[in-house]
Amino acid sequence: MSALLIYNSYTRQKEAFTPITPGHVGLYVCGPTVSGESHLGHARPYITFDVVNRYLQYLGYKVRYVRNITDAGHFEEEGREAEDKVAKKAILEMLEPMELVHKYTSLFHWGMRRFNTLEPSIEPTATGHIIEQIEMIKKIIAAGYAYEVNGSVYFDVKKYNDHYPYGKLSGRILEDLLETSRDLDGQDEKREKVDFALWKSAPPEHIMRWPSPWGEGFPGWHIECSAMSSKYLGKQFDIHGGGMDLQFPHHESEIAQSTIAHGCTPVNYWMHNNMITINGRKMGKSYNNVIKLTELFSGDHELLEQAYHPMVIRFYILTTHYRSTLDFSNEALQAAKKALKRLWDAYEVLQKLEDNGAATASYPELDKKVRDFCAACHTDMNDDFNTAKVIANLFELAPVINSIRQGQVPAGAISSDTLATLKTTFHSFMETILGLQPLKQEDTGKLDGVLQLVIAMRKDARTRKDYATSDKIRDTLGAIGIQLKDEKDGSVSYSLS
RNA sequence: GGUACCAUGGCCGAGAGGUUAGGCAUCGGUCUGCAAAACCGCGUACAUCGGUUCGAAUCCGGUUGGUACCUCCA
């Protein structure tokens, strides 16, 4: 059995995964800012790390998965007008900040549930950890790596860089940053442009504000993750995940803050998922090309040809490795939908295959093929969570399953043991690890009763060779999304789409 | 401007010095009353120009094109 390899953004190579505490994993993922509706772009990290979480659990680890909710809002840095994103939106919509935060948090949870992501163990909010953040800032000031100006506190990046490798995570060199940072208007209280805020003094109109040793204000962008991750996972923990766009400056700053406050580097393995693009462009608010989750599921968006089931989105995301960009298009999603249906159908067929009782396989080569691809699922998953390859392996196995079912290959072609392995492999990867679910609605039982009647009537018609009637039944059902399948043995099954 | 990364068959998308990726679509066949589904068969693709090598899509360099980060961002 191969060992789990994780591509560590910090060292830029795949490394064997060894947790700090044997049998346990601390996993932190940067959560959403709940100042607006979640969109397709947000789906990627949460689905990616949901699979990471699921797989670690599958491997037997006890995982503490922490994913924060950023509800304090953040301001534009670098001299632009300090404004709280949450507060700004709140005025526009005439809502209380808390009301707004609650609304979008609920929507986010709704989306995550539809994607069948497991809930994190802890979902801490930034506003609920102001004290922890203030305490951490105090430590950094005491250590001499932060300074106060007019009620705001900034981290001294230049000094930090004299002793620690600032920029290592994101591959940046401080000198370059000092030279190339753009000049932005406004007063700059910071000693250097690269310094970042730990605490920001709140102007009078700012709604969200808290008392602090430096006056009324609000925490800087990066400090919440450092404060909350260390509180729940310890000063050093195993895996920190998030989108690639957070690598700099957010994660870089997290490392700097935590290193000074806690005297050690915070994270052993940094994982970054790549972006979802649309027409080759990153999906983001600034590009005005976002598709909200609600629009995606309802199909109500000019770029969408139809509504897409959450499982299709989940499957589509998982058919690409998490470190590659993923380009969105209707065509690609259509393909994903069909592919998922075929794979899931094969999985259902597999569940119905009865144990053939064959001690040895009559088709040894096929038997070996099945075993090899089942084994490959584990190896590929261990290779930096290569879900794309895992899915390809499952697709290799689908024809084998269908062939056995339809008798193109005899039941004893693969041994009883191999069939059992095939079943557990599909179950583990499809449901437990990839977290997939069937596309069809839950059958109410009543619909099934009706369909059985209609199927029986069609069967009668066919016996009478009344094909006009039988075809009418089939085609009409097909038109409303119920597809009949005439099986080899004369039975008829159906699938809903 | 600085720093990275990426360019794969009609489309999407793995892989990574010599061995099948996979999916979707198309086409042919089997099955079928006809279909659908399923099964079988078919694609010798890796931007371009050089170089290294017995051998490169995979390594090195140049070119072109694209993207991301440097500013809120998943």
Side-chain angles (χ1 to χ4, degrees):
Chain A
M1 189 67 170
S2 60
L4 175 61
L5 296 178
I6 296 181
Y7 181 86
N8 189 347
S9 307
Y10 194 71
T11 55
R12 286 155 196 269
Q13 60 188 16
K14 286 182 195 170
E15 296 173 353
F17 177 68
T18 313
I20 294 166
T21 309
H24 292 257
V25 178
L27 171 64
Y28 187 92
V29 174
C30 288
T33 301
V34 285
S35 60
E37 256 192 80
S38 303
H39 61 261
L40 177 58
H42 294 114
R44 172 99 106 143
Y46 306 129
I47 288 172
T48 297
F49 290 105
D50 180 55
V51 171
V52 169
N53 176 211
R54 284 167 174 273
Y55 190 57
L56 289 167
Q57 289 190 27
Y58 171 82
L59 292 178
Y61 291 110
K62 208 157 181 345
V63 182
R64 179 176 290 172
Y65 175 22
V66 180
R67 187 183 63 203
N68 66 296
I69 293 280
T70 298
D71 58 351
H74 288 303
F75 47 90
E76 309 288 339
E77 258 197 303
E78 299 271 344
R80 284 193 215 169
E81 249 182 289
E83 60 184 9
D84 188 307
K85 275 165 74 181
V86 171
K88 190 183 177 192
K89 200 75 179 289
I91 291 165
L92 290 175
E93 299 195 359
M94 300 299 282
L95 287 171
E96 278 299 315
M98 198 70 189
E99 191 181 351
L100 189 70
V101 159
H102 184 256
K103 175 182 165 188
Y104 290 125
T105 302
S106 301
L107 258 176
F108 171 70
H109 287 322
W110 168 82
M112 290 305 108
R113 244 177 278 122
R114 298 211 65 192
F115 281 132
N116 195 29
T117 60
L118 300 178
E119 282 187 32
S121 331
I122 302 175
E123 197 170 48
T125 60
T127 54
H129 296 76
I130 299 293
I131 292 168
E132 286 83 351
Q133 297 179 68
I134 290 175
E135 287 308 307
M136 196 166 168
I137 295 168
K138 281 191 197 164
K139 278 188 197 165
I140 298 169
I141 294 176
Y145 282 85
Y147 54 91
E148 184 196 342
V149 187
N150 303 329
S152 295
V153 181
Y154 296 98
F155 189 88
D156 190 339
V157 171
K158 218 171 175 181
K159 178 170 181 182
Y160 176 82
N161 189 244
D162 289 341
H163 306 277
Y164 305 94
Y166 185 80
K168 181 171 178 197
L169 176 70
S170 52
R172 265 154 244 260
I173 295 159
L174 185 64
E175 284 67 39
D176 293 344
L177 289 171
L178 287 169
E179 280 173 24
T180 62
S181 283
R182 293 180 201 169
D183 272 322
L184 295 163
D185 317 325
Q187 90 303 346
D188 204 344
E189 316 174 318
K190 298 189 281 189
R191 290 182 192 163
E192 293 291 345
K193 287 173 196 157
V194 291
D195 292 350
F196 56 87
L198 295 170
W199 186 262
K200 201 74 175 157
S201 167
E205 68 276 13
H206 208 279
I207 301 172
M208 289 190 144
R209 56 204 301 136
W210 291 266
S212 80
W214 317 286
E216 289 214 339
F218 53 95
W221 177 30
H222 317 298
I223 195 75
E224 65 173 89
C225 287
S226 294
M228 297 191 285
S229 61
S230 59
K231 174 162 181 170
Y232 298 112
L233 298 174
K235 291 173 181 175
Q236 274 189 305
F237 57 96
D238 300 299
I239 304 171
H240 187 131
M244 254 180 188
D245 50 350
L246 295 182
Q247 213 171 36
F248 188 87
H250 187 234
H251 293 333
E252 198 72 68
S253 303
E254 268 189 67
I255 294 175
Q257 294 165 344
S258 297
T259 302
I260 297 305
H262 301 138
C264 56
T265 53
V267 176
N268 284 160
Y269 303 86
W270 282 93
M271 290 180 67
H272 294 279
N273 63 275
N274 214 135
M275 304 291 101
I276 284 185
T277 60
I278 181 154
N279 297 321
R281 248 272 152 78
K282 175 184 161 184
M283 184 176 289
K285 285 170 197 159
S286 357
Y287 296 117
N288 229 283
N289 61 355
V290 298
I291 298 174
K292 293 172 186 166
L293 258 30
T294 47
E295 296 167 337
L296 194 62
F297 299 159
S298 69
D300 183 20
H301 191 283
E302 56 177 8
L303 291 169
L304 298 174
E305 282 169 10
Q306 59 163 257
Y308 292 100
H309 188 109
M311 271 311 118
V312 172
I313 307 296
R314 182 176 179 112
F315 181 77
Y316 179 54
I317 287 175
L318 295 178
T319 50
T320 307
H321 185 82
Y322 74 92
R323 281 191 285 113
S324 302
T325 55
L326 172 62
D327 197 48
F328 169 89
S329 69
N330 281 290
E331 215 183 349
L333 251 2
Q334 293 285 8
K337 182 184 175 183
K338 286 181 188 169
L340 174 56
K341 184 178 184 307
R342 193 159 90 82
L343 195 58
W344 194 274
D345 283 350
Y347 174 44
E348 288 189 341
V349 166
L350 173 64
Q351 287 170 306
K352 288 182 202 143
L353 288 185
E354 284 167 23
D355 184 2
N356 52 39
T360 54
S362 58
Y363 284 30
E365 275 184 32
L366 188 69
D367 191 85
K368 184 176 184 306
K369 177 182 167 178
V370 171
R371 290 191 166 281
D372 286 350
F373 278 114
C374 286
C377 285
H378 293 93
T379 327
D380 291 329
M381 200 59 193
N382 274 340
D383 186 11
D384 196 29
F385 309 96
N386 198 333
T387 54
K389 269 209 113 184
V390 167
I391 290 170
N393 294 333
L394 295 176
F395 266 111
E396 292 278 4
L397 295 166
V400 179
I401 295 167
N402 288 322
S403 301
I404 294 174
R405 169 67 200 282
Q406 300 205 337
Q408 280 125 331
V409 153
I414 61 173
S415 73
S416 175
D417 267 6
T418 302
L419 180 62
T421 303
L422 185 57
K423 283 185 176 181
T424 48
T425 302
F426 257 77
H427 180 263
S428 298
F429 282 89
M430 295 285 282
E431 299 204 58
T432 312
I433 297 168
L434 299 181
L436 298 171
Q437 291 174 324
L439 282 172
K440 62 184 164 205
Q441 320 272 96
E442 277 309 302
D443 195 336
T444 60
K446 285 184 182 170
L447 176 64
D448 185 65
V450 172
L451 282 170
Q452 291 311 331
L453 171 67
V454 173
I455 287 169
M457 290 169 74
R458 174 168 171 268
K459 198 173 177 183
D460 287 346
R462 293 182 71 198
T463 315
R464 294 193 311 270
K465 295 205 195 296
D466 176 6
Y467 295 124
T469 302
S470 69
D471 287 356
K472 185 179 179 186
I473 290 173
R474 184 181 68 199
D475 297 344
T476 308
L477 287 177
I480 59 174
I482 299 169
Q483 188 178 66
L484 297 186
K485 282 191 219 174
D486 293 320
E487 304 288 355
K488 275 268 168 61
D489 58 9
S491 70
V492 180
S493 63
Y494 63 89
S495 65
L496 311 174
S497 61

